[in-house]
Amino acid sequence: MDSFTFTVGKLDAGMAILIGERAHLIEFPSLLLPPGVSSGSIVNIAVHRNTVEEKRQRREFWELQDQILETFGVKTPQPPQLQVRNVTQTSVTLEWPPIQLATAGLRSLDIYRNQQRLAPIPFPLQNTSTKLSGLEQDTAYTFQLVLRTTAGVFPSNIIKLKTHTMADTSGISVCFGNVQDKALLEDAKLALEDMKAKWSDRVQIDTTHFVCTTPASTPQGASATGGTSGAPGVEYQKALQASIPIVQPQWILGCLQARKMVPISQYYLGATPPAAQYTRPTSTRVTTTGAPRSDPLTSVESPQPKAAGSTSPFVNQPAEDGKPSQVSSDRTVRDSKASSTSHTSTLDTSSSMQSPESSTSLQSTEDGQATPTSPGGTTSVRTGKPAKRRQGTMQKDFRFPSPVNKTPTPPAVVENDGETTPVTESGMDEATVSAPPSNVPPALPTPGMKTPAVMGVTHDGDEEVGETEEVDLS
């Protein structure tokens, strides 16, 4: 180990001047000199290198540099992520997650509207939402947050939106207070669901209306806060402080019926609101009973028996009320006789007297013949051959006037020497007109039915016709 010799020159409390052999002057801490050294004393100083300590200090130095880089060079402030919470006709509510500053210092957090600075956000480290009012309805806007820190400026994403029209009620956000009528409260909640609106039990930043029937707190709210049920509720007081309109539940029903935002002046607490009622939706499904309904384009209807008592003169023609028309017995018998070339009419009577209310209906047999039957099932007239049908075309909406039913006049009875003789309208007795069989009493005429015609003779002046030619009447 090398050693150097020095002479102590000037010596004071903190520093000593050492003079070397070649008149080299160095300053040396006096605390490191041996005890009892004074000016003029000669000392030897030896110097050597400590490599172990040198390596240790170098290692600690670079570890400190890595910590500084990781803390201040890797993590940076994050731009805010702006989101839309609610939109109404004249306001918008925006929200964002808590801002991330990393190790930077916060300078300001500002809200921009249409690329112009609107206002700073108060308490930006605590607030995560803001409500902007005073907007124009049915107008497009853009919004953005700008975060300024000691590490730089970090703008958020741009939100583009359009305020609602008066017909859009989805922006309603209701806080319910004390509504004493439970049925009215339930109807109001269902109405909000139909309008796609929101409701809550607490006043929030996007609350647009406070709905109640009395300012008193609910029993549940009074027990939770330790107050009395007659005192104003906590949420009611919050609504007053936030200048939130306080209305009655009928306002919600009025908006639903009008399908738009209605004025709230008639629905203030204490006023008599207009009558409004919520109609709950019902199922429109109809259950069909009986036989399944067939397709009208593919189904073929079979001939059905025609009921008596119809006034339509045509077979299978629709009546005035949209139902299939029916034909009376006298018209059926006359048409069947007129269309037949040679036939034999047979009259079968099940009794000599029939009630005036009895009538004859028309049934179809397997061979295509038309057979009028009485309600009891007794056949009254049968044609020997199938009737010829007249062919032609006519307009479907054409209708003949209905014939007038006349009540037949019963024959008069004349007493002659103790005997009674029926007299016809012509003044002749019935025995003169026709001679019934000796053992069969004559049958009285049935209302709506005429006497069968003799072969080749008709009562209505109809003559037998041959083949007809189809003529287009349209």
Side-chain angles (χ1 to χ4, degrees), residues 83-95:
Q83 300 175 358
V84 178
R85 180 168 180 172
N86 192 29
V87 179
T88 64
Q89 284 74 15
T90 58
S91 66
V92 58
T93 303
L94 305 175
E95 62 182 1

Side-chain angles (χ1 to χ4, degrees), residues 16 25 38 41 59 75 90 135 141 144 163 168 187 192 212-213 227 250 254 273-274 288 323 329 342 364 421 461 467:
L25 299 177
S38 61
S41 300
R59 184 174 63 252
K75 296 181 180 179
T90 58
L135 305 180
Y141 290 95
Q144 186 181 25
T163 53
D168 191 349
D187 290 346
L192 289 174
C212 66
T213 56
Q250 287 83 355
T288 305
K323 298 181 180 179
S329 58
S342 62
S364 59
T421 303
E467 297 293 334

Side-chain angles (χ1 to χ4, degrees), residues 15 46 72 105 110 185 244 286 300 335 346 357 376 381 406 425:
M15 190 67 62
F72 299 97
D110 302 326
L185 176 62
I244 297 176
V286 178
V300 179
D335 292 345
T346 306
E357 292 80 12
V381 177
K406 295 183 179 181
E425 296 179 356

Side-chain angles (χ1 to χ4, degrees), residues 18 33 35 38 53 67 80-81 101 107 123 126 200 231 241 247 284 320 334 349 358 375-376 390 417:
L18 302 180
L33 294 174
S38 61
E53 186 65 20
Q67 292 178 2
Q81 297 296 322
L101 296 176
R107 290 183 176 177
F123 306 103
Q126 291 79 25
S200 175
Q241 295 175 358
V247 296
T284 57
E320 296 297 332
R334 185 172 68 243
T349 58
S358 63
R390 301 177 182 180
D417 297 335

Side-chain angles (χ1 to χ4, degrees), residues 93-351:
T93 303
L94 305 175
E95 62 182 1
W96 57 90
I99 58 177
Q100 302 293 332
L101 296 176
T103 58
L106 176 63
R107 290 183 176 177
S108 65
L109 180 62
D110 302 326
I111 183 71
Y112 280 71
R113 182 182 67 186
N114 295 338
Q115 299 180 354
Q116 294 182 358
R117 184 176 181 271
L118 184 61
I121 302 297
F123 306 103
L125 296 179
Q126 291 79 25
N127 289 336
T128 58
S129 60
T130 184
K131 183 177 182 180
L132 306 177
S133 304
L135 305 180
E136 298 291 336
Q137 64 173 341
D138 196 21
T139 305
Y141 290 95
T142 60
F143 297 94
Q144 186 181 25
L145 277 178
V146 176
L147 175 63
R148 290 181 172 87
T149 67
T150 56
V153 179
F154 301 89
S156 71
N157 56 309
I158 298 177
I159 293 294
K160 297 181 180 180
L161 55 87
K162 189 176 184 180
T163 53
H164 293 174
T165 60
M166 295 302 294
D168 191 349
T169 57
S170 61
I172 298 176
S173 181
V174 169
C175 175
F176 282 106
N178 190 353
V179 179
Q180 297 172 331
D181 191 348
K182 302 303 179 183
L184 181 59
L185 176 62
E186 186 65 23
D187 290 346
K189 292 180 179 180
L190 293 177
L192 289 174
E193 293 180 1
D194 291 347
M195 295 187 295
K196 298 181 180 180
K198 300 183 297 182
W199 64 272
S200 175
D201 293 331
R202 295 184 177 275
V203 175
Q204 302 175 357
I205 189 173
D206 60 341
T207 300
T208 59
H209 298 82
F210 186 84
V211 178
C212 66
T213 56
T214 175
S217 61
T218 60
Q220 295 82 2
S223 60
T225 58
T228 59
S229 59
V234 176
E235 301 301 325
Y236 175 81
Q237 297 178 6
K238 290 182 180 179
L240 289 178
Q241 295 175 358
S243 300
I244 297 176
I246 301 176
V247 296
Q248 301 183 51
Q250 287 83 355
W251 176 79
I252 301 175
L253 304 182
C255 292
L256 178 63
Q257 291 181 355
R259 297 296 177 183
K260 65 176 184 179
M261 300 287 291
V262 298
I264 62 176
S265 58
Q266 297 179 337
Y267 300 92
Y268 280 133
L269 195 62
T272 301
Q277 186 177 3
Y278 175 73
T279 303
R280 302 192 178 186
T282 57
S283 176
T284 57
R285 182 179 60 183
V286 178
T287 303
T288 305
T289 58
R293 187 175 181 180
S294 59
D295 189 355
L297 299 178
T298 57
S299 61
V300 179
E301 296 182 357
S302 59
Q304 300 294 333
K306 304 298 185 298
S310 173
T311 58
S312 176
F314 290 94
V315 180
N316 294 332
Q317 290 292 331
E320 296 297 332
D321 56 353
K323 298 181 180 179
S325 61
Q326 300 172 348
V327 63
S328 58
S329 58
D330 55 344
R331 175 71 66 178
T332 305
V333 173
R334 185 172 68 243
D335 292 345
S336 62
K337 291 187 299 181
S339 60
S340 171
T341 56
S342 62
H343 62 277
T344 303
S345 300
T346 306
L347 179 64
D348 296 333
T349 58
S350 58
S351 61

Side-chain angles (χ1 to χ4, degrees), residues 5-26:
T5 302
F6 293 92
T7 301
V8 178
K10 184 180 178 181
L11 179 64
D12 54 18
M15 190 67 62
I17 302 298
L18 302 180
I19 302 172
E21 295 179 351
R22 298 180 181 181
H24 293 161
L25 299 177
I26 63 172

